[in-house]
């Protein structure tokens, strides 16, 4: 049964309102669908709201599918950065490497890539590269996506979904963007990785972003945003404790200071815990048993980095023509509020 709305468009339900759900909902709205988001929590309560939201393939080995999705996202967020209301800005990123294997495997996605002179690289690193990447102020960006979605005619329903297949009785297409919540739908390949991140006040002592991704258990990154600076972090598989020890905060500050001496002058505002939905590969696919059900989750630390690319893949899997995000959204005035 086709659930065609009065104006002739197919009806789509997207389950979840994190960055993957919002981006998928916007992409399907731009492709001409009538879209409703069902989510138990608003964007500000999702794991996405805690992310540093820097475009970067964390924890990722070379992968052509990942690369194509990351490139699509980079290009889209670069366009969105021309609208100040989006909360997206292009920022300089310096990444340090313990081993010299040449330019990063994803380097052709990034703008203005250059290798730093050896004299500018601390002795414990083999090399460093500097490039421009998109960074989103998460609160502003998630609100921006929601405003864009609503002004495209979308509808948001605060509703807990216990079985995504039941939504097929209400729509032509259902897209599951529930992240770790998808375990309740039978995906045992999902696991959690706890992340501790700090927020510090903005300070001119830190200019630009810095990353050392060499230790999978202790990714180190410094990400200045509009109103704060994010310092990270940890990747603790299987840990669910919400207790943050003083030694963990001190370790993050110590590691970040090793990348940028200006971090020592920062005032830490708070420490936060988030839980990344981990999977050996993101699940972006049509469901094996329900042709009208699609999945888009399990991105680990790459939710923002893959968001537009994965949403575009869902469109292709559903047989729809992709539509790029506008250079400036119709909802930009609303996003400023």
């Amino acid at each position: 049964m086709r659930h065609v709305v009065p104006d002739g468009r197919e009806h789509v339900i997207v389950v979840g309102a994190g960055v993957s759900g919002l981006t998928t909902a916007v992409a399907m709205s731009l492709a001409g669908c009538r879209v409703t988001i069902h989510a138990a929590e608003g964007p500000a309560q999702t794991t996405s709201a805690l992310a540093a939201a820097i475009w970067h393939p964390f924890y990722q080995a070379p992968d052509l599918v990942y690369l194509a999705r990351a490139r699509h996202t980079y290009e889209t967020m670069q366009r969105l950065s021309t609208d100040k209301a989006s909360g997206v800005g292009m920022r300089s990123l310096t990444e340090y490497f313990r081993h010299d294997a040449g330019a990063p495997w994803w380097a052709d996605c990034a703008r203005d890539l250059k290798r730093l002179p050896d004299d500018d690289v601390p002795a414990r690193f083999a090399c460093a590269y500097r490039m421009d990447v998109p960074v989103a102020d998460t609160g502003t960006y998630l609100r921006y996506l929601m405003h864009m979605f609503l002004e495209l005619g979308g509808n948001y329903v605060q509703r807990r979904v216990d079985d995504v297949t039941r939504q097929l009785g209400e729509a032509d297409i259902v897209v599951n963007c529930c992240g770790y919540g998808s375990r309740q739908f039978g995906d045992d390949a999902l696991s959690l990785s706890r992340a501790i991140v700090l927020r510090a006040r903005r300070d001119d002592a830190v200019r630009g972003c810095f990353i050392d991704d060499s230790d999978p258990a202790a990714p180190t990154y410094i990400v200045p945003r509009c109103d704060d600076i994010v310092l990270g972090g940890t990747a603790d598989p299987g840990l669910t404790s919400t207790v943050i020890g003083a030694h963990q905060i001190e370790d993050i500050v110590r590691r970040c200071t090793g990348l940028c001496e200006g971090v020592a002058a920062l005032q830490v505002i708070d420490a936060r815990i988030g839980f990344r939905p981990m999977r050996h590969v993101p699940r972006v696919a049509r469901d094996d048993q329900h042709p009208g059900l699609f999945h888009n989750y399990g991105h680990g630390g790459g939710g923002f980095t893959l968001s537009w690319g994965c949403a575009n893949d869902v469109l292709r899997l559903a047989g729809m023509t992709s539509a790029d995000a506008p250079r400036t959204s119709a909802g930009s005035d609303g996003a400023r509020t």
Side-chain angles (χ1 to χ4, degrees), residues 146-176:
M146 179 62 84
H147 279 286
M148 188 189 300
F149 169 66
L150 294 175
E151 294 204 8
L152 286 166
N155 185 36
Y156 172 78
V157 178
Q158 188 163 353
R159 175 182 182 183
R160 182 173 296 280
V161 176
D162 296 320
D163 184 350
V164 288
T165 62
R166 293 180 183 175
Q167 309 305 300
L168 290 169
E170 303 178 27
D172 298 289
I173 293 172
V174 175
V175 187
N176 168 30

Side-chain angles (χ1 to χ4, degrees), residues 22-274:
L22 288 175
T23 307
T24 300
V26 168
M28 296 197 117
S29 297
L30 288 168
C33 298
R34 177 66 168 163
V35 185
T36 302
I37 293 176
H38 288 182
E41 298 177 323
Q45 285 75 49
T46 63
T47 299
S48 298
L50 297 176
I54 182 171
W55 184 96
H56 185 273
F58 281 104
Y59 323 117
Q60 183 62 39
D63 181 296
L64 291 178
V65 173
Y66 192 107
L67 183 67
R69 292 169 176 167
R71 179 183 291 110
H72 188 98
T73 302
Y74 186 103
E75 293 170 352
T76 303
M77 294 190 75
Q78 184 177 5
R79 289 199 303 275
L80 291 177
S81 71
T82 64
D83 185 352
K84 292 182 179 179
S86 70
V88 179
M90 299 301 295
R91 298 189 183 276
S92 172
L93 165 65
T94 302
E95 180 161 9
Y96 295 98
F97 295 89
R98 306 276 176 168
H99 305 285
D100 187 355
W105 61 273
W106 42 264
D108 66 339
C109 294
R111 192 177 70 183
D112 296 332
L113 177 81
K114 63 179 181 181
R115 181 178 173 125
L116 266 61
D118 291 343
D119 290 345
D120 294 340
V121 180
R124 66 184 181 282
F125 296 108
C127 62
Y129 286 83
R130 184 165 291 158
M131 65 215 81
D132 289 342
V133 299
V135 174
D137 181 90
T138 48
T140 302
Y141 182 60
L142 294 175
R143 287 193 299 271
Y144 180 85
L145 290 177
M146 179 62 84
H147 279 286
M148 188 189 300
F149 169 66
L150 294 175
E151 294 204 8
L152 286 166
N155 185 36
Y156 172 78
V157 178
Q158 188 163 353
R159 175 182 182 183
R160 182 173 296 280
V161 176
D162 296 320
D163 184 350
V164 288
T165 62
R166 293 180 183 175
Q167 309 305 300
L168 290 169
E170 303 178 27
D172 298 289
I173 293 172
V174 175
V175 187
N176 168 30
C177 300
C178 287
Y180 187 70
S182 297
R183 268 189 75 89
Q184 68 177 314
F185 308 141
D187 189 348
D188 294 333
L190 268 172
S191 63
L192 282 180
S193 178
R194 187 184 68 172
I196 298 175
V197 297
L198 312 180
R199 285 196 316 123
R201 295 194 188 281
R202 281 299 306 263
D203 193 303
D204 289 341
V206 175
R207 296 179 180 273
C209 306
F210 301 85
I211 288 178
D212 171 14
D213 196 26
S214 59
D215 185 349
T220 304
Y221 49 92
I222 304 163
V223 183
R225 304 189 302 189
C226 298
D227 299 317
D228 58 16
I229 299 176
V230 177
L231 307 176
T234 66
D236 307 314
L239 292 185
T240 57
S241 171
T242 57
V243 176
I244 302 175
H247 67 284
Q248 293 168 313
I249 295 175
E250 293 168 359
D251 179 64
I252 292 172
V253 171
R254 177 188 59 78
R255 286 189 277 118
C256 289
T257 302
L259 296 186
C260 174
E261 293 181 357
V263 170
L266 298 182
Q267 179 185 354
V268 175
I269 303 170
D270 60 29
R272 298 180 177 183
I273 286 181

